[in-house]
Amino acid sequence: MAISPAHIRRNERNRPNFLRNIIIIRLINAWWIATFFQPDEYFQSLEPAWRLAFGPNSGAWLTWEWQHQLRSSLHPAIFSGGYLVADGISKLIPAGNMLRSAVVVGSPKVLQAMIASLGDWYTWQLAVNIFGPDSNASFFALFLQLFSAWQWYCSTRTFSNSLETTLTVMALYYWPWRIFSAAVSTKENPKPANILGNIWGLRLSLCLAAFAVVLRPTNVLIWATVSGMALTRVFLKGSSPLTWSMILVLAREAFLCGSLILGTSVASDYFYFGFWTFPPYNWLNFNISKSLAVFYGRNPWHYYLSQGAPLLCTTSLPFALWGLYKPGSSSTNERNILRVLSSAVFTTVVALSLISHKEVRFIYPLLPILNIVAAPWAASFFTSPSSSKAATSRPRLRNKPYLIAALGVNLILAGYLSFLHQPAPLNVLSYLRKEYERVHPASVRLAHKTHQPPTPRDELFALFLMPCHSTPWRSHLYYPGLDAYALTCEPPLDTQPNTPERDNYRDEADRFYDDAIGFLTNELFGPQRKIDIPRYIVGFEGIEPWLLTFLETPAGKALGIKPRRVWGGFNGFFNEDWRRSGRMLVWDTGVYLDAPRDKHQP
């Protein structure tokens, strides 16, 4: 579409203001997220980042994925830098002051809020590139992005998918979209236009795309679609403006930029793991070849269609579906770009549907694309052209009841998920951290100065009897001397798919819920005792009868535990996992001195 210089200048003036406002929104977003979603938010990023920043004695929990090099070290390296900066700032506060730990624990929120802000801003700017800076559709793309319940719930969480989403939309913004335009005849334009644009923009796009692929190998589906359609022009109108020399330039830059990011990743992994390894291959080998991903759940083939897309888009789903079917533009070049983006959605959803284990966040990088595809139809539904012919006139809102209803649905969903659905896993760690600060002030001062545990070590502070990874870990416990033990759920790495060993495998958490009393008697507190007696036991209220029954057995009585509730936390009105239903409780075992006086009920 033709863009006037005045509109371009207005966009240039608005860009910094919009970015500032978006950053403020996402910082508020980050601090208002007070709930637990999935353990990968912590164990795939913050735990390895904590270890990288503060050393092997810092108490970070590295899961089997890190022990078998399935994840790129680049993601935690980003947050380890944030931790080190925050730790340096916290040194301005005297050792022993609890604000020091709060500054470090809160630092990932700031960093992830910045990453999320860039994702929102680049979504808007990509829409501006497609529809024009003064287009109603470009503003609706930003509107859909900012008022998305899923974006509010997940963008400021430290998932690798959240970073992948931002990297993807940034790479799409810098991509030379003019290669999808229809070629102009030689008579009209005897000199071939430079449709690749600024070479450094292309390089930045390719580097960001390569980073996203290294981070999450399935991201290659998006870029295979984009590059494939650039070469074949399947589903596109008009002949290709690409010449062989341009194709060679694209291939050269893709090779160089891909090699740069791949080399950086390999070097980073070497320094992190201590030997040469290639996590993308390991990830594909374990999750696809060895089919270990299904250990964490199977989903029907239509999951992304029946659940994934509706959860991702919520109220914008009708506009997104119609936009995928029929690009909302009268311009051939714009329709071509929208067809490419739509094809990337189709390719990704179809390919990921072939994998048994599915999660909504696996298609999270498609959300900015879906919002852009939906934007023209949402804009036409909720606005009508102004009757004024003035250049500065704005479209008028229409269908306001539907707009208010859509906003209400997203605000209610975002509010519930942010404050009420599973807040206990975060609150209980704050409680334990404060208790440790009360009981062990000397260890607290030592940790503030050195991030090292005391010698000799303090008692086992907490035992978590709940499904594995039900809470964050050192990223919230902070103190390396705050020893804790949680039930594990390592997958059967040494078994083959479709074998009795794989089918009958029960991890530690499974064995506890299969027979809690037998597990506590024979394994956890058995003759060859696995752990010491803890100061606190943490679990959901459903295990309390089992715990009390065990303590009445001879093995339980020998421990001398006299449980007393000292904390209880609301954990939402429902939970899809029956093991996590009800309140989360903390029992003092009565074995140690300095027990809390009053029961705390948040």
Side-chain angles (χ1 to χ4, degrees), residues 58 70 99 117 147 159 221 231 233 262-263 265 274 303 322 325-326 344 367 462 499 515 528 555 578 598:
S58 60
L70 266 67
L99 283 177
S117 301
F147 284 92
F159 289 117
L221 295 168
L231 296 176
R233 294 190 68 83
L262 185 61
S265 176
Y303 173 83
W322 190 246
Y325 170 71
K326 184 178 181 181
L367 180 59
T499 61
D515 179 12
Q528 297 179 339
W578 66 269
D598 300 317

Side-chain angles (χ1 to χ4, degrees), residues 269-349:
D269 293 333
Y270 174 79
F271 287 111
Y272 183 83
F273 295 111
F275 52 88
W276 296 109
T277 186
F278 191 50
Y281 168 78
N282 298 335
W283 184 90
L284 291 170
N285 181 43
F286 274 84
N287 286 292
I288 307 300
S289 301
K290 293 188 176 182
S291 194
L292 282 171
V294 299
F295 181 72
Y296 297 102
R298 294 175 181 267
N299 305 88
W301 66 267
H302 54 77
Y303 173 83
Y304 290 123
L305 300 177
S306 59
Q307 299 180 53
L311 289 171
L312 198 65
C313 297
T314 58
T315 54
S316 67
L317 182 63
F319 304 111
L321 292 177
W322 190 246
L324 291 172
Y325 170 71
K326 184 178 181 181
S329 175
S330 58
S331 163
T332 298
N333 292 343
E334 288 180 19
R335 284 201 304 271
N336 282 348
I337 294 174
L338 293 175
R339 284 194 180 97
V340 172
L341 294 176
S342 299
S343 298
V345 173
F346 291 133
T347 301
T348 302
V349 169

Side-chain angles (χ1 to χ4, degrees), residues 556-574:
K557 289 180 179 179
L559 298 175
I561 294 176
K562 305 294 182 184
R564 178 173 64 93
R565 286 191 187 187
V566 293
W567 186 90
F570 172 75
N571 200 44
F573 298 110
F574 68 93

Side-chain angles (χ1 to χ4, degrees), residues 281-556:
Y281 168 78
N282 298 335
W283 184 90
L284 291 170
N285 181 43
F286 274 84
N287 286 292
I288 307 300
S289 301
K290 293 188 176 182
S291 194
L292 282 171
V294 299
F295 181 72
Y296 297 102
R298 294 175 181 267
N299 305 88
W301 66 267
H302 54 77
Y303 173 83
Y304 290 123
L305 300 177
S306 59
Q307 299 180 53
L311 289 171
L312 198 65
C313 297
T314 58
T315 54
S316 67
L317 182 63
F319 304 111
L321 292 177
W322 190 246
L324 291 172
Y325 170 71
K326 184 178 181 181
S329 175
S330 58
S331 163
T332 298
N333 292 343
E334 288 180 19
R335 284 201 304 271
N336 282 348
I337 294 174
L338 293 175
R339 284 194 180 97
V340 172
L341 294 176
S342 299
S343 298
V345 173
F346 291 133
T347 301
T348 302
V349 169
V350 170
L352 294 183
S353 295
L354 300 176
I355 302 174
S356 297
H357 179 60
K358 304 175 182 69
E359 294 183 34
V360 183
R361 59 191 178 90
F362 293 170
I363 59 170
Y364 185 14
L366 301 179
L367 180 59
I369 297 175
L370 290 168
N371 285 335
I372 289 172
V373 169
W377 296 110
S380 65
F381 183 79
F382 289 117
T383 62
S384 57
S386 173
S387 57
S388 172
K389 296 183 179 180
T392 57
S393 63
R394 295 293 182 187
R396 295 173 299 171
L397 282 177
R398 63 177 181 175
N399 295 320
K400 291 182 182 179
Y402 294 106
L403 180 61
I404 293 172
L407 286 173
V409 168
N410 282 280
L411 291 174
I412 291 171
L413 278 174
Y416 173 76
L417 295 172
S418 298
F419 298 111
L420 298 176
H421 191 61
Q422 299 192 96
L426 303 185
N427 293 335
V428 72
L429 296 192
S430 296
Y431 171 76
L432 292 174
R433 190 172 69 244
K434 291 175 182 176
E435 280 298 292
Y436 186 80
E437 292 166 346
R438 179 183 67 83
V439 175
H440 296 291
S443 299
V444 168
R445 288 191 293 271
L446 176 66
H448 284 164
K449 293 177 180 178
T450 66
H451 285 283
Q452 296 296 313
T455 304
R457 297 187 72 93
D458 298 322
E459 77 280 7
L460 179 63
F461 205 76
L463 167 63
F464 291 81
L465 294 178
M466 54 180 62
C468 68
H469 307 317
S470 289
T471 70
W473 203 248
R474 199 59 55 185
S475 62
H476 284 63
L477 292 173
Y478 183 86
Y479 299 106
L482 198 167
D483 283 338
Y485 184 89
L487 303 180
T488 62
C489 55
E490 306 296 306
L493 300 175
D494 298 325
T495 63
Q496 296 300 317
N498 303 316
T499 61
E501 292 81 8
R502 173 74 65 87
D503 295 338
N504 297 325
Y505 176 78
R506 306 296 289 170
D507 61 44
E508 193 175 48
D510 289 333
R511 297 196 301 274
F512 171 71
Y513 281 95
D514 289 343
D515 179 12
I517 297 171
F519 176 82
L520 295 173
T521 302
N522 301 318
E523 291 195 48
L524 213 56
F525 297 110
Q528 297 179 339
R529 183 175 294 175
K530 197 169 186 177
I531 62 170
D532 296 327
I533 300 175
R535 177 181 287 271
Y536 296 114
I537 297 175
V538 187
F540 292 97
E541 61 183 348
I543 73 164
E544 189 170 42
W546 303 341
L547 181 61
L548 296 177
T549 301
F550 163 70
L551 293 175
E552 291 299 319
T553 65

